[in-house]
């Protein structure tokens, strides 16, 4: 079921932490990389915010017709 508001307060508030110390493989049309980092998802389901740090261990990233 979808989250609903009670007055001015959201039904759910997010504070989800994730950490990848040794690297995570990501493969899609933009990434073919191994990355590591820390991530926190905060705010609400309607307006989530990502905070944290990500580091490229190895691989390639495509952005606006450029490969890094």
């Amino acid at each position: 079921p979808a989250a609903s508001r009670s007055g001015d307060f959201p039904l759910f508030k997010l504070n989800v932490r994730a950490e990848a110390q040794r690297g995570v493989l990501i493969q899609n049309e933009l990434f073919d990389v191994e990355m590591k980092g820390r991530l926190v998802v905060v705010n609400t389901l309607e307006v989530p915010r990502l905070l944290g740090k990500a580091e490229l261990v190895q691989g390639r990233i495509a952005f606006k017709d450029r490969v890094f």
Side-chain angles (χ1 to χ4, degrees):
S4 62
R5 291 180 170 266
S6 174
D8 289 335
F9 298 99
L11 184 58
F12 295 104
K13 292 192 83 173
L14 301 173
N15 188 8
V16 179
R17 299 175 187 271
E19 184 170 347
Q21 296 177 352
R22 296 186 184 199
V24 174
L25 299 176
I26 303 171
Q27 292 180 320
N28 61 26
E29 63 276 355
L30 299 176
F31 298 100
D32 185 6
V33 298
E34 179 183 356
M35 299 182 84
K36 64 181 181 177
R38 294 181 197 152
L39 177 69
V40 180
V41 183
V42 296
N43 213 7
T44 64
L45 292 173
E46 293 83 14
V47 188
R49 297 287 183 253
L50 299 175
L51 306 171
K53 177 181 176 181
E55 296 178 44
L56 178 67
V57 176
Q58 65 179 351
R60 66 174 185 80
I61 298 173
F63 181 73
K64 291 191 175 185
D65 297 328
R66 295 188 180 217
V67 177
F68 300 93

